[in-house]
Amino acid sequence: MNRIRELAGAEFEDADAELKSLIMASQTEGDDLDDGSEWEDTSSDPDESNSGDMEVDGAVQKGSTDSQKDPNDISEYQLDTYDDEEGGVASGPFSNMKWLLSHDGDDPYVTLKEDEAQEREEAEIYPTDNLIVVAKVEADVAQMEVFVYDESKDNLYAHHDFMLPSFPLCIEWLDYQPNAPSTSKTGNFIAVGTFEPEIEIWSLDTMDAVYPDAVLGKLEKTQQRGPVAAKPNKRKKAGKSNDSFHIDSVLGLSWNKAHRNLLASASADKTVKLWDLSGGSGSSAIRSYNIHQDKVQTVHWCPNESTVLLTGGLDHTLRMFDTRAPTSVVGVKLNEEIEVLRWDPWDPSGFYVALKDGSVRNFDARTLSGKMDSAPRFNIAAHHGSALGLDVNPHLRGCIATGGHDEIVKVWDVKTNATTQELDVSMVASKELGVGKAFSVTWSPDDPLTLAAGGSTGKLQVWDVSTSKDAFRTFKSKLYEAGKEIELRIGKSEVIGVDDDDDDDENDDDADPTSAFGM
C-alpha cells in the first residue's frame, strides 16, 4: 500500500485540486452550502415556506418551525407501521411511486452476467496469440504494458498494464516462478531493471497486479534510499559497492534457459551479478563480478555453453568468461561504447555487437584473448547515430534486425562466401516504422519474418517483412531449408500498430513526451 500511495500521490493531489475547483465553480453559480454541509432547498413556494406544516399520508401535520423541530425525530414517517398495510396496498411517503416494480426472479434488464462473460472472453489469451511486453514512460509515469498480437486478424491491442516505481531500463522474459523449485510449473514472468538498484519480477498471468512477485537485491533499511524522483537526474548518489546487491541502476538482464533459476544482471555500479531465483524476494546475489572499469550496459548468456556470459560496458570493452572460473576473462577493446550484445544461436562461437557509432560487428569467440585485440569477422555501418536495437532471427540462419538513432529499422542477410569462406552482409529491407529512435527490435517466436519495434515516440509497431518482395525473394531458400512454408503476403498489412485514441495530442505542443525503454 505504501508503494501504491507513492506512485499515485500526484494523481491524488490532482484529483483533490479538481474537486476543490468544482466546488468553487458550483458556489459561484448560486449553489451555496450552509454551515451544516446540507443543501438548502429554496425551490418551494415562498408563501408556504413558513407554514411549518407537512403533508404525511394525505394528512396535514401541524408542527413547529424547522428551528424548533428535533432533527432526529422521524416519527412523522410512520416507519413502525410501514409493513402493516392490509390487502397489499402500499402506504406511506412512497405510496405514490407506482412505477416501482419488483421481480421474483432475475431482472431481464440487468445484464451484468453477460458483461462479465464478455470481459472474460476479451481477457482470454489464445494459443495463436503473441504477447509483446513494453516498458514505457509517459508524463513521468513508468509502467509495463502487455500487448496481444493476433496475426490471423492483423490485430494488435493492449491487454493490461501495471505501474512501476521508477523509470525502466531493461526487461527480460522468463518462465521460472521465483521462490519455487526448478521443476515447478512454468508461467509467464518479466524481470525489470530500473533506475533503482533492485530487480523486480512480475507475473504476466496476473491482471491488475499492484506488487511484484519478487524483488531481488532489496537493500537493508539502514541502506535504503528514498523513492526515486520523477526525473532520473535527481536520484540520490549511490552508496559503497556491495557483493550482495546492486547499488546503482540495473542496465541489463539475461535469463539462463538451461539453468532456469539463474538470472544475470549488469549495472551502472560497474558490476555483473548472478541471482538464484529460487530464493524469492530479498535474495542476495550468489556471485558478483568486477570485470569492467565503467558502467556495464549489456549482458547475455551463451545459448550453447550455459555457464558462459558475454558482457559489454561503457569502458569500450566486451568480456567473456565462465561463471565457474571468473578469473579466466577474455575479451576485446573497441573504439566505441557498446549498446547491445547478442549471441548467434546458429553459430556456437559467433556473436554480434551494436555500437554507439552506428556500426554492427560480428566476432568469433574463439579468437578472443586476454590481449583484448581480436579483429571482427565483419564490420558494417548500419545506422547514422547509435545502433540501439539488435536481434538475431531464431528461425532463419543469418537473418538479423537492427534499429537505430536514425529512426530506421533494417533487416540484414548474413551468409558465408563460398570462395573466401568469409561472411558477406547485405541489407534486405529497411523501413521507418514511426517509433522514433528505435530502442528495441525483436523477432517473433512463431513467425519467421515478423518483428516488433518500439522507440522514443512511445509507440509499438509490428512489421511483417514477408510483404516485401525483395526480402521474401532473399529468404525464400532459407525458409524452405527451415521448413517454414510461407507465401508472399501481397495485400496484407505491412505494419500493424495500435490505434491512437489521442490523435489530437500529436499536434499539441504542450503534450508530455513519451518514451519506450525496451520490449
Side-chain angles (χ1 to χ4, degrees):
M1 295 305 296
N2 289 334
R3 174 194 181 91
I4 299 173
R5 188 178 298 110
E6 291 174 0
L7 295 178
E11 295 184 11
F12 288 146
E13 292 177 2
D14 293 341
D16 184 57
E18 184 177 357
L19 178 60
K20 291 180 180 179
S21 63
L22 289 175
I23 294 176
M24 294 179 63
S26 64
Q27 290 177 347
T28 57
E29 293 175 1
D31 297 332
D32 297 327
L33 289 170
D34 61 11
D35 294 337
S37 297
E38 296 178 354
W39 291 101
E40 184 178 358
D41 186 5
T42 60
S43 61
S44 59
D45 189 344
D47 295 337
E48 299 176 359
S49 61
N50 297 325
S51 63
D53 299 339
M54 180 175 292
E55 184 177 354
V56 180
D57 290 347
V60 177
Q61 299 288 335
K62 300 294 182 179
S64 59
T65 62
D66 291 343
S67 61
Q68 296 175 345
K69 289 173 59 177
D70 183 1
N72 297 322
D73 184 12
I74 59 174
S75 60
E76 59 188 39
Y77 296 104
Q78 302 179 6
L79 297 180
D80 294 338
T81 59
Y82 181 79
D83 296 327
D84 297 340
E85 298 85 13
E86 296 180 0
V89 179
S91 63
F94 308 109
S95 59
N96 61 337
M97 298 183 183
K98 298 180 180 180
W99 48 268
L100 289 176
L101 300 176
S102 62
H103 295 270
D104 295 335
D106 293 336
D107 190 337
Y109 296 100
V110 177
T111 59
L112 292 179
K113 294 183 179 180
E114 296 179 3
D115 294 341
E116 291 175 357
Q118 183 177 359
E119 289 180 1
R120 284 196 297 269
E121 183 179 356
E122 293 176 352
E124 186 175 358
I125 304 297
Y126 295 96
T128 56
D129 292 334
N130 281 128
L131 292 186
I132 305 176
V133 185
V134 178
K136 185 176 181 181
V137 175
E138 187 171 9
D140 294 338
V141 176
Q143 60 185 353
M144 296 289 295
E145 293 185 342
V146 182
F147 289 84
V148 172
Y149 173 56
D150 183 359
E151 181 189 352
S152 62
K153 299 179 181 178
D154 287 343
N155 188 21
L156 177 67
Y157 62 93
H159 188 267
H160 66 278
D161 57 26
F162 49 86
M163 296 179 67
L164 297 174
S166 181
F167 284 12
L169 296 173
C170 58
I171 59 177
E172 177 76 349
W173 180 87
L174 58 149
D175 70 5
Y176 184 86
Q177 182 177 359
N179 197 21
S182 58
T183 57
S184 64
K185 183 178 179 181
T186 60
N188 280 308
F189 298 90
I190 198 79
V192 186
T194 70
F195 275 99
E196 286 282 81
E198 295 89 2
I199 302 169
E200 297 186 348
I201 300 178
W202 293 77
S203 172
L204 298 179
D205 298 326
T206 303
M207 294 184 63
D208 301 325
V210 296
Y211 200 79
D213 287 37
V215 180
L216 305 179
K218 193 173 182 63
L219 302 181
E220 300 294 338
K221 290 184 177 180
T222 57
Q223 300 166 321
Q224 282 182 353
R225 301 173 300 180
V228 171
K231 302 296 182 182
N233 57 4
K234 292 184 178 180
R235 290 186 304 110
K236 295 183 179 180
K237 187 177 180 180
K240 187 178 180 181
S241 178
N242 191 293
D243 290 340
S244 299
F245 46 78
H246 288 302
I247 60 170
D248 209 338
S249 307
V250 178
L251 305 179
L253 293 168
S254 182
W255 173 57
N256 194 316
K257 295 181 180 180
H259 306 285
R260 296 173 51 247
N261 62 313
L262 295 182
L263 180 72
S265 62
S267 173
D269 64 9
K270 307 178 184 179
T271 69
V272 176
K273 285 183 168 50
L274 192 60
W275 307 86
D276 183 1
L277 300 177
S278 62
S281 280
S283 298
S284 299
I286 59 176
R287 294 287 189 277
S288 182
Y289 308 101
N290 298 283
I291 55 176
H292 285 274
Q293 303 300 318
D294 204 340
K295 299 178 178 63
V296 189
Q297 177 85 344
T298 180
V299 58
H300 199 211
W301 286 102
C302 179
N304 300 297
E305 295 291 338
S306 59
T307 61
V308 174
L309 268 178
L310 189 65
T311 65
L314 300 188
D315 56 359
H316 299 188
T317 65
L318 64 86
R319 306 278 185 162
M320 186 183 72
F321 63 97
D322 192 317
T323 54
R324 298 169 300 180
T327 56
S328 302
V329 179
V330 296
V332 60
K333 179 75 173 181
L334 303 173
N335 59 343
E336 279 289 346
E337 296 178 358
I338 299 172
E339 295 286 353
V340 190
L341 290 172
R342 286 291 182 271
W343 284 97
D344 187 350
W346 303 95
D347 184 352
S349 60
F351 62 89
Y352 295 89
V353 184
L355 301 177
K356 190 174 182 179
D357 64 355
S359 65
V360 174
R361 307 179 189 183
N362 180 280
F363 286 89
D364 187 341
R366 295 170 297 183
T367 65
L368 300 183
S369 66
K371 297 181 180 180
M372 310 293 289
D373 56 356
S374 301
R377 291 194 285 190
F378 72 74
N379 180 8
I380 57 174
H383 295 275
H384 297 289
S386 301
L388 302 172
L390 171 66
D391 198 28
V392 184
N393 196 312
H395 309 283
L396 302 178
R397 184 186 184 96
C399 177
I400 65 173
T402 62
H405 192 274
D406 54 8
E407 305 185 359
I408 298 177
V409 176
K410 298 181 179 181
V411 177
W412 306 82
D413 180 31
V414 182
K415 55 186 177 182
T416 303
N417 189 299
T419 304
T420 63
Q421 295 301 310
E422 295 180 353
L423 295 180
D424 292 336
V425 187
S426 61
M427 188 182 69
V428 176
S430 66
K431 195 170 188 63
E432 186 174 349
L433 298 179
V435 299
K437 301 177 183 64
F439 291 151
S440 179
V441 291
T442 304
W443 288 106
S444 167
D446 296 326
D447 189 87
L449 288 178
T450 298
L451 62 85
S456 58
T457 63
K459 289 185 178 181
L460 166 68
Q461 300 279 41
V462 175
W463 181 16
D464 188 348
V465 183
S466 67
T467 56
S468 168
K469 293 182 180 180
D470 292 337
F472 184 81
R473 189 181 301 112
T474 301
F475 293 119
K476 187 175 181 179
S477 59
K478 292 186 177 182
L479 288 167
Y480 178 78
E481 293 175 1
K484 304 291 183 179
E485 298 181 2
I486 64 175
E487 298 179 355
L488 179 63
R489 298 165 181 172
I490 300 176
K492 186 179 182 295
S493 298
E494 185 176 5
V495 178
I496 300 96
V498 180
D499 292 335
D500 191 356
D501 295 333
D502 301 325
D503 292 335
D504 295 337
D505 292 343
E506 294 182 1
N507 299 323
D508 186 359
D509 294 336
D510 296 331
D512 293 327
T514 305
S515 299
F517 284 90
M519 55 192 308

